[in-house]
Amino acid sequence: MTCLTVTVESVSEAIERQVDMVIAHHPLPFKPLSKITTQTQTGNLIWRLAKAGISVYSPHTSWDSAERGINALLASRLQLGDVRPLIPSLNPELESLGAGRFGELSPAVDLQQFVAKICKVVPYCRPHGVDCGRDAYARIAIACGSGGSLLAAATQNHCELFLTGEATFHSSLEAQTSGISLVMIGHFASERFAMESLAADLQTAYPTIEVWPSKFEKDPVRNFA
């Protein structure tokens, strides 16, 4: 089973369906632990998985940056051309790998058209962000998840719009100062679709193994108004 994050819901689903392995984008634990105990949420999830004999594999940033990883999939769904990593791999033989992506959108679109386009091709979107007032956008930067750290690379590559899952207030100010419009679609939306794609790819590659994306995983963030 694939999922974005190991949660109470995804663990219960995995145990109920007698999963052998969970491929979760976000690692469990996400931060180092000095001890594993059922008195904490993370520890309890680890104990439940271990008791059921379920392995967990978390590709995380490797899957973000892979040749057919999350950022590349986002670029493909937006139909960007001349796609390259925002920060290329240091290995010259692996020029298709690296952090983030940027590419050319043709024809160029205004901000509302871009937002409509991303919401059409990526589910669960909750778009908001910074509008720098350009009439049209052609060079688009992409960083899934919490991508504020790649904003400087987007500026260096002369990008006009930066698409990410979420960013801090200070990253939003940085985008405004740099003259780059910032579109945040939600951390969950920017990555969950790729775990569904991964499940389909694995099912095709290994037809004798049952593979599916978690049915019960949901975005924990809700709009209240």
Side-chain angles (χ1 to χ4, degrees):
M1 185 182 79
T2 66
C3 62
L4 182 60
T5 309
V6 177
T7 63
V8 172
E9 292 76 16
S10 58
V11 168
S12 296
E13 180 181 359
I15 292 173
E16 181 179 346
R17 296 194 59 176
Q18 300 181 320
V19 166
D20 296 308
M21 173 180 280
V22 171
I23 300 178
H25 184 55
H26 296 138
L28 180 75
F30 196 78
K31 297 179 180 179
L33 298 177
S34 59
K35 59 183 178 180
I36 299 175
T37 169
T38 56
Q39 293 178 341
T40 67
Q41 169 108 333
T42 298
N44 188 54
L45 293 175
I46 292 172
W47 276 109
R48 290 182 66 196
L49 289 164
K51 184 177 180 180
I54 299 173
S55 299
V56 177
Y57 172 67
S58 298
H60 204 209
T61 52
S62 295
W63 180 226
D64 290 342
S65 305
E67 184 174 358
R68 295 179 59 205
I70 299 179
N71 289 313
L73 288 172
L74 279 169
S76 176
R77 291 198 173 197
L78 286 169
Q79 298 179 309
L80 299 186
D82 192 22
V83 177
R84 289 164 282 170
L86 276 171
I87 302 178
S89 167
L90 296 177
N91 187 336
E93 297 180 359
L94 299 173
E95 60 181 18
S96 62
L97 303 183
R101 291 294 187 275
F102 74 100
E104 306 296 330
L105 186 61
S106 180
V109 297
D110 64 29
L111 187 59
Q112 291 304 315
Q113 289 171 325
F114 179 83
V115 168
K117 185 178 183 69
I118 190 66
C119 288
K120 184 177 180 180
V121 298
V122 176
Y124 320 113
C125 283
R126 293 182 295 103
H128 58 290
V130 176
D131 180 1
C132 286
R134 291 177 183 265
D135 292 331
Y137 297 89
R139 178 163 287 201
I140 311 298
I142 295 171
C144 64
S146 184
S149 63
L150 296 183
L151 188 55
T155 302
Q156 291 169 4
N157 284 292
H158 309 290
C159 296
E160 300 157 351
L161 185 148
F162 185 75
L163 172 68
T164 189
E166 60 181 348
T168 66
F169 175 74
H170 293 289
S171 291
S172 299
L173 288 175
E174 181 183 349
Q176 186 177 54
T177 302
S178 301
I180 298 178
S181 288
L182 175 65
V183 175
M184 297 173 280
I185 59 174
H187 198 125
F188 185 87
S190 74
E191 296 179 333
R192 160 68 193 196
F193 79 96
M195 304 314 291
E196 297 172 5
S197 296
L198 179 61
D201 288 346
L202 288 172
Q203 186 65 83
T204 299
Y206 302 99
T208 61
I209 299 175
E210 183 183 6
V211 188
W212 72 93
S214 171
K215 308 297 184 185
F216 299 105
E217 182 175 47
K218 295 180 180 180
D219 189 345
V221 178
R222 293 287 182 270
N223 293 329
F224 294 144

